[in-house]
Amino acid sequence: DGGITQSPKYLFRKEGQNVTLSCEQNLNHDAMYWYRQDPGQGLRLIYYSQIVNDFQKGDIAEGYSVSREKKESFPLTVTSAQKNPTAFYLCASSNQGLTGHTIYFGEGSWLTVV
Amino acid sequence: GENVEQHPSTLSVQEGDSAVIKCTYSDSASNYFPWYKQELGKGPQLIIDIRSNVGEKKDQRIAVTLNKTAKHFSLHITETQPEDSAVYFCAAVDSSYKLIFGSGTRLLVRP
């Protein structure tokens, strides 16, 4: 099936640890994104990438890092510098970047700090 | 930058009635306005979108209207069904080509 696959679905992190969330798409989309969603809230952009080997910070990039070594993959690392990482993380992709083209989302990953 | 406001935050309707969710945006250069439906614990799903060169778009029971002069757009759901219950988000593309989301509307359709 074509789509966006996020893993793991649920992840628990101890304070002080880095964790990496995986996002893979087989839609051949150029652009990929990471959003954070807190309970009962909207979506906030963490990082985005319009092309392989290039990415830009979104509105809440502090404490996060990404890489885009392959077109189909855009992993997000939540570092220990992120003071309040417990949230629902959503990966998305679109076929021609941010200029008004349709963005599709994965099913999300729940991260909880214990 | 772009700011998107969405109202109401919660909406409860009787099955079969219509539901209307409204959004306003601030960047007059925005030209793409999608609507997403999000069920509990899942990723948002695109349900309809509209571009700035049209004023209205319909897809079965769902329609979206756009007023560029007033900088607002609305989602209309007719003949609501219990499975329409979810959180709905509007969004707009800002001048730096990022998608900015509204804060969401929790729709409850009462059987």
Side-chain angles (χ1 to χ4, degrees):
Chain A
D1 285 344
I4 302 169
T5 302
Q6 290 187 237
S7 63
K9 178 68 175 179
Y10 301 95
L11 184 61
F12 296 89
R13 189 195 92 171
K14 293 182 179 179
E15 288 194 20
Q17 283 184 337
N18 292 353
V19 293
T20 297
L21 306 179
S22 170
C23 179
E24 303 280 330
Q25 55 98 359
N26 60 5
L27 301 168
N28 200 32
H29 285 173
D30 292 314
M32 297 187 74
Y33 317 82
W34 275 104
Y35 287 87
R36 169 180 172 145
Q37 186 176 30
D38 292 285
Q41 303 296 314
L43 286 76
R44 294 183 291 169
L45 183 63
I46 305 172
Y47 267 99
Y48 61 102
S49 168
Q50 293 181 272
I51 195 169
V52 175
N53 292 322
D54 188 40
F55 49 82
Q56 288 80 40
K57 293 181 179 180
D59 300 317
I60 55 165
E62 184 176 354
Y64 300 98
S65 65
V66 294
S67 63
R68 187 82 188 279
E69 298 177 359
K70 298 186 295 183
K71 186 176 184 179
E72 60 270 24
S73 179
F74 192 40
L76 173 73
T77 297
V78 185
T79 74
S80 57
Q82 171 50 236
K83 298 307 179 187
N84 185 22
T86 296
F88 189 46
Y89 290 87
L90 288 158
C91 179
S93 70
S94 68
N95 63 350
Q96 291 186 47
L98 294 165
T99 54
H101 295 277
T102 305
I103 292 180
Y104 299 94
F105 284 86
E107 286 301 293
S109 293
W110 290 93
L111 173 62
T112 302
V113 173
V114 297
Chain B
E2 175 72 281
N3 182 48
V4 178
E5 294 190 356
Q6 183 172 348
H7 301 281
S9 57
T10 59
L11 179 60
S12 180
V13 300
Q14 193 71 38
E15 181 178 0
D17 288 350
S18 295
V20 180
I21 302 171
K22 299 181 179 181
C23 289
T24 60
Y25 61 98
S26 59
D27 188 350
S28 57
S30 293
N31 59 10
Y32 176 63
F33 308 92
W35 284 89
Y36 288 86
K37 175 184 180 182
Q38 186 177 29
E39 297 178 345
L40 190 62
K42 296 188 176 181
Q45 180 182 12
L46 179 73
I47 56 172
I48 196 167
D49 57 12
I50 191 167
R51 300 185 189 274
S52 58
N53 56 344
V54 298
E56 184 176 3
K57 183 177 179 180
K58 290 183 179 179
D59 183 3
Q60 300 181 0
R61 296 187 297 108
I62 294 173
V64 58
T65 58
L66 172 66
N67 183 327
K68 281 196 62 83
T69 302
K71 289 189 285 187
H72 66 72
F73 56 113
S74 300
L75 178 70
H76 304 254
I77 305 174
T78 59
E79 301 174 16
T80 53
Q81 301 167 4
E83 51 265 38
D84 293 329
S85 295
V87 179
Y88 291 81
F89 290 97
C90 63
V93 174
D94 74 0
S95 55
S96 58
Y97 308 116
K98 293 184 294 185
L99 196 61
I100 306 300
F101 285 85
S103 54
T105 296
R106 185 172 301 278
L107 174 64
L108 174 64
V109 180
R110 305 186 306 274

